[in-house]
Amino acid sequence: GGSAPGACVSRRERRRRSSTGTREWHARGAGAAPPGVATMEVSRRPSGGAGLVPTAGSDYGAGVAKARDERTVLLLGELCARAHASSPQRVKGALSRSVGIIAAENEGESEVAQRAASSSLDSFGMEASIAASVQRQLVRTGKRDEATGLPLSVKFAELHERLSRKGLLRRYGSLLRLLNQLSGHWTDLDGSHGPNPTAASGAGNTMVPFKVIGGEGHNHPHLPRGGHQAERAAIRKLKYFRIKERDDFQSLHERDLVRDVLFVAQGIDGKFVKFSASEDRYRVADEYVVSAQARELVANLCEVGWLYRRLQGLAEAHEAGDGTDPKGSTQQAFFSAVRGHLAHYYRMLALVESRVMSSSAGGAEHGEGGLIEREVGGLRVSLRSLAIMLSEPTQQLRVLAILCDGVEGLKGGALVNRLFKMAKHGDPHVRGLVGGILHEVCRPLFRMVSRWMFEGELHDPCGEFFIREEEGVPLDDLWRHGYKLRSEMIPSAISGDLARTILRTGKSINFLKRCCEVKEWGDFHSLSREAEASLRFGAGEGGGGDAEGIERFVAKVAKRVDSHVMHTLFYTFRCGDHLQAVKRYLLLGQGDFIQQLMDLSGEDLNEKAGTVSAYQLGSTLETAIRSSVVQFDDPEILDCLRVEMMPHASEEYGWDVFSLNYVVRSPLTCVLTDDSMRKYLRVFNFLWRLKRVEHALCQVWQQMKPSVQLFGGVRNEDGENVVGIKGEVRRCHCVRNEMSHFCMNLQYYIMFEVLEEGWTEFKSKMEAAEDLDALISAHDLYLDGVVEKALLGERSQALVRQLNLVFDLIMRFQGFSARIQEILKEASQKRRLRTLRAEVETAQGNWGVDGEGAGELSGQEDVDCFPERFLYSTRYELDAIKGDYKVLVDGFLKLFPTVPHLDLGLLEQKISFNIS
């Protein structure tokens, strides 16, 4: 059918009309039913739809309606029967007859009465009050459903909610009142007797016997017809019932739930909504009757209170602390930002509460209206509107709770990194919230960076900064080992190179103050404002800040500090001159000084190492300095040169333990460290031994040069042995020349191709170095290259061992040649003695030798001839030395392919061209 007249009238208008009609009816005192109070028409759907629906002037299938009535009666009847320990069958029969009576007396209801049946008087006042009364009765009984085990009150609430949601009936209040009255006031429901008024009054129930108030001729046929008087009495009783039930229902009014939710939002338990520690949530107490939708809505709204309670607890726990784990400044900044958001949440909550209070006051102003107007007037801020108001604060508190859980146990750079990661969110509101907190958390980090870069001071008692200071590091190792980076604490906005630059800048200022004892290293006050504008972590999109601005500022400060450090190091402490002196003295670059030192200290070094005096060698060093061009060097540099004796064994000689050392003081120790000086000493010992071998071969040549004159005066007929020894001496000269050629080419390779080439490259890098790290890196690279190319590296140990064998053989050859020269000198002295005696005898006129003199000379060997065994032993030993030398040199050359990283091709050609 078409729409009924007045169907588009709003609910508020219908309530107003119903209230106005009721007041007019009371004023007239007439027996006609007031508007909005009408009988319920039970109508049926034409298409077999489920349930009973209220319509005007419609007729549906009787079978379908009967089935719906039976189902409704069965469900609600069983609940009422269980509540009062009655028989379900007896209650079912009475309910069936009652529903039939309701359907019969509402068949002729007019359209106007049907529209009034949907008024708020029936839907709100009767339904709500009776439902609450039934639930209270079920709660008092304490009984439970046998099938599900749930309390009957809960089961009733679910059934009532299901019936209301499906829209099966229109006048729920009348039906509920009927069922409740039948469950408590009857004597014999199987018969035709009506309810017992005496029993009702004795039970203290405020319900009146059921009577439908409608138009004329539509009263219940079983009730006595008393005209308008009976109707007025029924109306008065119904009014009393509504006022009574309204007073009982106020404890669970939506206004009270709204008030409790506001309390819960502040972390305070309400009257009906309290915190359950076992379930860790807020919930409505079980003894109060609330619909399932209201419970769910209140539970959702109470999430904001749970979040606030958790955040407040975390903030208070952090503020209290346990004393064992000190709270860092970044953690304090984080919780300070959280407390700031909670304060903002308090201000927002105050606005919501003021709106609720103003709404309640506005409802009270309408007290002159009807009962329904006074009830509805205070519900302008309902649970649903409150949910809308608290949706944004709930989202913010939820994000804050997630942040607190995410950063638990973190501090410093690690906490900032976690916030950086969480700031990368698709929601701009979440990104802005996290970015603001990140900016506040990064403020302490910014202060640490500024203090480190401007003053060189590291104040980090809680270990939050990405730079840490090593304990117990001596001043000489301050630059290399005093400060380290902690990679896990570097913020995401700072790259690895930028972090190293920040480390170097603060370390440079610290180096100037502590090692160089410089009090002024530049005016950085002009950069303080620029620092505040540049070092703003967390201010950019996603919390990243202006990375390019940070890099520009750090580079600007670092360049100023590094230039001051380099100027101090090279002009105040003459770092370049000291490095040049190390090359000249320890790497044997000053040839005349080294030669003088070897010549002057040779006799002392030929002794056993235990008998060599370091003080005597120190005096020899001073003499060598004064006798060479080194005497014109700066005294400050010469004072750094020292003589040292290395640890030695009892069988070693002075040559094996002698060493020069170059001693520098801070701040030069940052470049010439102990490790660097050990490498210099390794190269010095190798070059010193090579120089000693070369010096030994020179001595061999000096000793063998006069041997040619020893055989010039030989005139005897039997000169075979003399000619043989002359040939062996000539072979000694040849072997010496081969050995000297080997040593000279090896020395040339090391001195020119290794040392000079490496120094030239290092000098160019040293002049181009802009900071101390670049200088140290260039020096370490130069020194490592010298060690590796000088055949002293880890991969060249086989070559070094073979080379030491060659050096040992050369020293063995020196001893062999020295013995030959000793024998030759002895023979030469005997020959001169014989010649002198002959000259004396001739001068005395004695010709020949007789007597005692003849006997003495007759028993001597020929002084111009050598024993045959001496000649053979000399030849054999010389052959052995020459053969061993050839084998060792060939083995040395064959090891060159094992060091492909070294360019030894030219050295191989120079050494092997004359090896036969």
Side-chain angles (χ1 to χ4, degrees):
S3 303
C8 297
V9 179
S10 64
R11 178 173 296 179
R12 186 181 299 275
E13 182 65 20
R14 290 199 301 270
R15 290 176 179 174
R16 187 189 66 77
R17 292 176 181 177
S18 174
S19 177
T20 304
T22 304
R23 289 194 299 270
E24 291 176 356
W25 179 78
H26 279 289
R28 291 196 306 266
V37 182
T39 58
M40 180 180 68
E41 178 185 14
V42 181
S43 57
R44 299 170 177 83
R45 298 180 183 270
S47 58
L52 302 175
V53 295
T55 58
S58 301
D59 196 8
Y60 300 93
V64 177
K66 185 177 181 180
R68 303 295 185 269
D69 296 342
E70 291 178 355
R71 185 180 304 168
T72 304
V73 168
L74 178 62
L75 291 175
L76 297 177
E78 289 184 0
L79 277 175
C80 295
R82 292 184 184 181
H84 296 276
S86 301
S87 173
Q89 298 298 329
R90 300 173 64 188
V91 177
K92 180 179 178 183
L95 292 178
S96 299
R97 291 193 299 272
S98 300
V99 172
I101 293 171
I102 295 172
E105 71 178 359
N106 284 282
E107 289 179 354
E109 196 172 33
S110 63
E111 292 184 359
V112 177
Q114 182 62 32
R115 287 197 302 270
S118 62
S119 66
S120 61
L121 179 62
D122 184 76
S123 61
F124 180 81
M126 182 178 292
E127 177 192 354
S129 60
I130 295 178
S133 178
V134 171
Q135 279 195 302
R136 285 196 298 273
Q137 294 176 22
L138 295 176
V139 169
R140 284 195 294 269
T141 60
K143 295 183 179 180
R144 295 180 175 269
D145 185 25
E146 296 178 359
T148 61
L150 296 174
L152 291 179
S153 60
V154 178
K155 185 68 174 178
F156 174 80
E158 293 179 356
L159 293 173
H160 176 254
E161 181 63 29
R162 187 187 309 170
L163 190 64
S164 302
R165 184 171 59 253
K166 292 184 177 180
L168 300 177
L169 298 174
R170 180 65 60 88
R171 299 179 65 181
Y172 303 106
S174 299
L175 182 58
L176 290 175
R177 188 167 70 110
L178 168 66
L179 297 177
N180 187 53
Q181 184 181 6
L182 291 175
S183 65
H185 306 84
W186 59 274
T187 56
D188 187 7
L189 292 179
D190 288 338
S192 59
H193 304 285
N196 188 356
T198 306
S201 61
N205 198 312
T206 61
M207 298 295 181
V208 298
F210 176 76
K211 175 167 180 61
V212 179
I213 303 173
E216 294 181 1
H218 292 284
N219 288 331
H220 197 284
H222 291 269
L223 294 178
R225 299 179 179 269
H228 296 295
Q229 240 181 5
E231 290 180 0
R232 284 197 295 270
I235 289 295
R236 285 195 299 272
K237 292 181 179 181
L238 180 60
K239 182 178 180 182
Y240 171 76
F241 154 75
R242 288 170 179 163
I243 295 175
K244 180 68 170 65
E245 292 300 323
R246 172 182 175 273
D247 294 339
D248 294 339
F249 182 67
Q250 279 185 351
S251 61
L252 294 178
H253 200 280
E254 188 174 11
R255 180 176 59 247
D256 299 326
L257 295 177
V258 170
R259 181 192 59 194
D260 275 17
V261 168
L262 290 177
F263 282 133
V264 168
Q266 304 173 50
I268 306 172
D269 287 350
K271 182 177 181 181
F272 310 108
V273 183
K274 300 181 182 297
F275 181 78
S276 175
S278 60
E279 301 179 11
D280 191 25
R281 68 184 183 94
Y282 284 96
R283 60 189 301 272
V284 180
D286 293 335
E287 60 268 17
Y288 299 107
V289 178
V290 180
S291 63
Q293 290 90 338
R295 282 184 181 273
E296 182 179 359
L297 186 56
V298 169
N300 293 336
L301 288 173
C302 288
E303 181 188 1
V304 69
W306 184 89
L307 293 171
Y308 174 80
R309 181 188 181 98
R310 174 171 175 77
L311 292 174
Q312 188 69 18
L314 291 175
E316 292 176 356
H318 176 269
E319 185 175 356
D322 54 0
T324 58
D325 185 15
K327 306 300 180 182
S329 56
T330 52
Q331 283 185 335
Q332 295 176 5
F334 173 78
F335 282 101
S336 175
V338 171
R339 284 191 290 269
H341 282 282
L342 292 180
H344 176 73
Y345 165 74
Y346 257 123
R347 291 192 293 269
M348 183 279 309
L349 202 60
L351 296 177
V352 174
E353 187 173 3
S354 65
R355 181 174 177 182
V356 172
M357 294 177 64
S358 63
S359 177
S360 300
E365 292 176 358
H366 298 83
E368 69 279 359
L371 175 65
I372 303 305
E373 282 77 358
R374 291 195 300 269
E375 289 291 344
V376 180
L379 294 179
R380 294 178 184 175
V381 179
S382 62
L383 290 175
R384 295 189 182 278
S385 61
L386 188 62
I388 297 175
M389 296 178 190
L390 296 178
S391 60
E392 183 177 352
T394 303
Q395 177 66 19
Q396 291 182 356
L397 295 186
R398 189 180 295 120
V399 173
L400 292 176
I402 293 174
L403 292 180
C404 290
D405 292 338
V407 303
E408 184 178 1
L410 300 179
K411 60 182 178 180
L415 188 148
V416 173
N417 286 336
R418 183 62 60 86
L419 291 179
F420 269 122
K421 184 177 180 180
M422 292 182 172
K424 297 178 181 179
H425 198 278
D427 190 343
H429 298 288
V430 176
R431 189 166 59 248
L433 176 63
V434 181
I437 295 178
L438 180 60
H439 177 62
E440 296 298 326
V441 171
C442 289
R443 286 182 179 273
L445 194 62
F446 156 70
R447 290 193 292 268
M448 292 182 188
V449 172
S450 300
R451 188 172 182 178
W452 172 254
M453 295 185 65
F454 292 159
E455 303 177 11
E457 296 180 0
L458 185 61
H459 182 71
D460 185 22
C462 300
E464 300 176 283
F465 200 36
F466 56 88
I467 299 174
R468 73 170 185 270
E469 182 177 5
E470 299 293 338
E471 299 292 338
V473 177
L475 195 61
D476 293 342
D477 294 335
L478 180 65
W479 181 268
R480 291 178 179 260
H481 307 292
Y483 302 95
K484 298 293 182 182
L485 283 176
R486 290 190 288 192
S487 57
E488 70 278 3
M489 290 294 181
I490 300 177
S492 301
I494 298 179
S495 62
D497 294 337
L498 184 60
R500 285 186 286 272
T501 303
I502 295 175
L503 170 65
R504 188 186 69 244
T505 304
K507 191 166 58 174
S508 298
I509 296 179
N510 205 301
F511 176 77
L512 289 173
K513 291 196 303 183
R514 299 177 59 182
C515 297
C516 302
E517 298 180 356
V518 177
K519 298 181 179 180
E520 296 294 336
W521 54 86
D523 183 15
F524 294 103
H525 296 289
S526 60
L527 296 177
S528 58
R529 293 184 178 180
E530 184 177 352
E532 295 179 0
S534 300
L535 298 177
R536 293 180 61 85
F537 305 129
E541 181 69 19
D546 186 8
E548 295 182 358
I550 296 175
E551 291 181 0
R552 286 195 300 270
F553 170 76
V554 171
K556 185 175 182 180
V557 177
K559 183 177 181 180
R560 182 178 298 186
V561 174
D562 290 336
S563 62
H564 194 80
V565 170
M566 297 300 289
H567 182 274
T568 303
L569 205 58
F570 278 91
Y571 290 93
T572 303
F573 294 95
R574 303 177 62 183
C575 179
D577 295 339
H578 284 282
L579 291 173
Q580 180 74 31
V582 171
K583 173 184 175 295
R584 292 171 59 196
Y585 302 143
L586 298 188
L587 301 183
L588 309 188
Q590 193 67 38
D592 59 335
F593 164 72
I594 298 299
Q595 188 64 41
Q596 286 291 333
L597 182 62
M598 297 192 80
D599 292 341
L600 294 175
S601 62
E603 294 183 1
D604 296 332
L605 297 179
N606 285 330
E607 302 296 331
K608 288 288 186 178
T611 62
V612 178
S613 172
Y615 297 102
Q616 181 64 30
L617 292 177
S619 177
T620 304
L621 175 64
E622 295 293 336
T623 303
I625 290 174
R626 290 193 298 269
S627 60
S628 63
V629 73
V630 176
Q631 61 180 321
F632 301 106
D633 287 353
D634 193 330
E636 181 182 353
I637 294 179
L638 293 177
D639 289 341
C640 297
L641 196 60
R642 302 282 192 277
V643 172
E644 289 187 359
M645 302 295 290
M646 296 184 298
H648 54 273
S650 59
E651 66 275 5
E652 290 182 322
Y653 289 87
W655 291 101
D656 301 323
V657 298
F658 175 82
S659 177
L660 287 179
N661 194 12
Y662 195 85
V663 181
V664 295
R665 60 183 181 87
S666 181
L668 297 178
T669 51
C670 66
V671 180
L672 296 173
T673 61
D674 293 341
D675 185 63
S676 298
M677 296 309 299
R678 282 192 291 269
K679 293 179 181 179
Y680 274 116
L681 291 180
R682 285 183 61 191
V683 179
F684 170 81
N685 292 330
F686 175 74
L687 294 177
W688 180 257
R689 189 173 188 189
L690 179 59
K691 200 72 175 177
R692 177 199 174 189
V693 170
E694 181 189 11
H695 185 266
L697 292 176
C698 290
Q699 287 182 339
V700 170
W701 180 81
Q702 292 175 357
Q703 293 172 358
M704 294 180 64
K705 183 179 179 180
S707 61
V708 179
Q709 302 176 358
L710 296 178
F711 309 105
V714 177
R715 292 291 184 269
N716 60 326
E717 297 179 356
D718 190 9
E720 180 179 357
N721 291 340
V722 176
V723 174
I725 197 64
K726 290 174 62 178
E728 298 305 322
V729 171
R730 188 179 302 109
R731 290 179 60 198
C732 286
H733 278 285
C734 294
V735 173
R736 190 208 69 84
N737 290 337
E738 292 181 6
M739 292 179 177
S740 178
H741 175 80
F742 175 84
C743 293
M744 289 179 61
N745 283 279
L746 182 61
Q747 186 177 4
Y748 171 84
Y749 163 76
I750 294 176
M751 297 300 297
F752 291 95
E753 295 187 23
V754 175
L755 297 181
E756 289 299 329
E757 182 179 352
W759 173 258
T760 302
E761 184 178 357
F762 166 65
K763 188 176 181 180
S764 61
K765 291 182 178 180
M766 179 175 60
E767 294 174 352
E770 296 181 353
D771 55 76
L772 186 54
D773 278 339
L775 174 63
I776 293 175
S777 177
H779 177 259
D780 292 344
L781 185 63
Y782 156 72
L783 191 54
D784 292 339
V786 168
V787 171
E788 192 68 30
K789 293 180 180 180
L791 310 179
L792 300 176
E794 295 294 333
R795 292 180 289 179
S796 306
Q797 293 302 309
L799 282 172
V800 174
R801 288 192 294 267
Q802 191 74 11
L803 197 58
N804 287 331
L805 294 177
V806 175
F807 290 162
D808 292 339
L809 182 63
I810 292 176
M811 299 308 298
R812 173 185 164 190
F813 172 74
Q814 182 198 18
F816 168 75
S817 63
R819 290 196 301 273
I820 293 179
Q821 295 303 320
E822 192 68 28
I823 293 174
L824 291 177
K825 287 181 180 179
E826 183 180 355
S828 177
Q829 291 177 358
K830 288 181 179 180
R831 187 170 52 251
R832 287 199 297 270
L833 179 59
R834 180 181 177 182
T835 302
L836 181 60
R837 299 177 77 180
E839 290 177 354
V840 171
E841 292 293 335
T842 302
Q844 294 178 356
N846 297 326
W847 302 95
V849 181
D850 56 353
E852 184 178 353
E856 293 176 358
L857 291 176
S858 60
Q860 295 178 353
E861 298 180 352
D862 191 352
V863 297
D864 292 331
C865 298
F866 296 95
E868 190 71 22
R869 60 181 180 275
F870 171 75
L871 181 61
Y872 289 152
S873 63
T874 302
R875 185 177 301 161
Y876 175 79
E877 188 172 358
L878 185 59
D879 289 341
I881 291 175
K882 185 176 180 180
D884 292 343
Y885 174 76
K886 180 180 179 181
V887 171
L888 291 176
V889 173
D890 288 342
F892 177 73
L893 296 176
K894 289 179 181 180
L895 290 175
F896 281 8
T898 62
V899 285
H901 60 287
L902 301 178
D903 186 10
L904 302 177
L906 183 60
L907 176 62
E908 183 179 6
Q909 293 178 4
K910 290 182 177 180
I911 292 177
S912 62
F913 85 99
N914 63 344
I915 300 296
S916 56

